[in-house]
Amino acid sequence: MNKYEFKATNLIAEVFEEHGVKFDVKNAHGFETIVAGFPIDGGPLITEEFISNSNDNDVAVRVFRIVTNTPEARRTRAMEACNILNKEVRCLEFTIDDDGDVNASYDFLNSTPDEAVGEMALEIFVRTMKILDDRFCVLMKAIYTNEELNQEEKKRKLELLRRFQAALKEAEDRNDDGEANDEELDNFASWLADEVAS
C-alpha cells in the first residue's frame, strides 16, 4: 500500500529510505513535496524539494533561497554568476527572482519511467550537493567582491597572453636586430588586446 498520495512521491521516498537520505513530506494546496536538506561548504543549510501534483512523473525539483535578498546594487553580478553556473554545470538551472533570491531548478520529463524516478531523484540530490559545494563561491564572489567571476575565462585569457609572449619571442629570434615588427605579429597583438578587453 502506498504511503503517500502521488506515485512519484512514493517512488522517491522508497529510494531515499534505501540510501539513508533524511526527508520530510509536506502536503499543501494539491502539491506533495519531499523536502531533503544538506549543508554546503561555506554556505547555508540547503533544502531541495521534489514536488508532485499528480500521478505523472513530471516531478519539479526546486532549490529555493540558495542566496537570499541579494542587495539591489549586486543583482547584476549575481545574475552574471547564475549565467556562469548555467554554462558550467549540467542539470540545474540557476536564476535570481524579483526579491533577489538565487534559486535552482530541474524538471523530470513526464515520460520518465516509474523504475527510474527514485534513482533520478537521488542522483540529482547528490549532484546538487556537489555543484553547490564546488560553485557556491561564485555566488559569494559576485555579491561580496569585485573579483573576476569566470575563472575559465581568466585561464583562457592567460593562455592567450602566454601564446602572445611565445610569438613575440619567436619573432624577435627571427629578426637580426631583435625587434618584432612583423605584420602578422601586429595583427595577433591587436586581436589579443580585443580578446583580453572583452
Side-chain angles (χ1 to χ4, degrees), residues 129-166:
M129 281 192 277
K130 180 160 179 24
I131 289 166
L132 291 178
D133 264 346
D134 291 346
R135 307 306 286 145
F136 183 72
C137 58
V138 174
L139 294 167
M140 292 297 93
K141 197 183 289 186
I143 294 166
Y144 295 109
T145 77
N146 291 318
E147 292 177 39
E148 176 82 35
L149 296 179
N150 191 338
Q151 291 303 315
E152 291 307 310
E153 185 66 12
K154 188 175 182 179
K155 286 180 192 172
R156 186 182 72 81
K157 287 179 180 180
L158 288 172
E159 174 59 18
L160 287 173
L161 183 58
R162 187 200 61 74
R163 285 178 46 206
F164 175 71
Q165 289 169 336

Side-chain angles (χ1 to χ4, degrees), residues 176-196:
D176 293 335
D177 58 2
E179 292 180 14
N181 53 15
D182 202 66
E183 185 179 339
E184 186 180 322
L185 187 60
D186 290 342
N187 290 339
F188 183 78
S190 175
W191 172 81
L192 178 65
D194 290 342
E195 282 293 304
V196 171

Side-chain angles (χ1 to χ4, degrees), residues 3-158:
K3 199 171 177 180
Y4 304 108
E5 182 180 355
F6 297 128
K7 178 178 63 175
T9 307
N10 285 288
L11 295 168
I12 294 168
E14 184 180 333
V15 172
F16 277 17
E17 286 168 357
E18 285 173 14
H19 289 85
V21 176
K22 294 183 179 178
F23 64 92
D24 289 320
V25 177
K26 298 180 179 179
N27 251 307
H29 312 294
F31 291 89
E32 192 168 59
T33 305
I34 289 183
V35 180
F38 56 89
I40 56 173
D41 289 343
L45 178 66
I46 297 294
T47 55
E48 189 160 21
E49 300 182 9
F50 297 82
I51 306 163
S52 297
N53 66 349
S54 71
N55 276 318
D56 293 330
N57 289 336
D58 58 341
V59 177
V61 182
R62 299 292 182 264
V63 185
F64 296 112
R65 296 172 294 283
I66 299 166
V67 174
T68 57
N69 202 21
T70 303
E72 191 77 43
R74 304 304 285 183
R75 288 189 187 176
T76 300
R77 291 243 322 152
M79 195 178 311
E80 183 184 346
C82 288
N83 288 337
I84 288 166
L85 292 175
N86 289 336
K87 281 186 204 172
E88 291 179 353
V89 303
R90 295 174 54 217
C91 301
L92 291 177
E93 178 185 23
F94 290 85
T95 57
I96 185 166
D97 65 22
D98 292 341
D99 295 326
D101 296 343
V102 174
N103 307 301
S105 63
Y106 177 80
D107 292 298
F108 287 28
L109 296 174
N110 191 37
S111 60
T112 303
D114 289 354
E115 59 272 13
V117 171
E119 291 297 332
M120 284 176 60
L122 180 64
E123 183 178 353
I124 196 68
F125 182 69
V126 171
R127 281 187 185 217
T128 302
M129 281 192 277
K130 180 160 179 24
I131 289 166
L132 291 178
D133 264 346
D134 291 346
R135 307 306 286 145
F136 183 72
C137 58
V138 174
L139 294 167
M140 292 297 93
K141 197 183 289 186
I143 294 166
Y144 295 109
T145 77
N146 291 318
E147 292 177 39
E148 176 82 35
L149 296 179
N150 191 338
Q151 291 303 315
E152 291 307 310
E153 185 66 12
K154 188 175 182 179
K155 286 180 192 172
R156 186 182 72 81
K157 287 179 180 180
L158 288 172

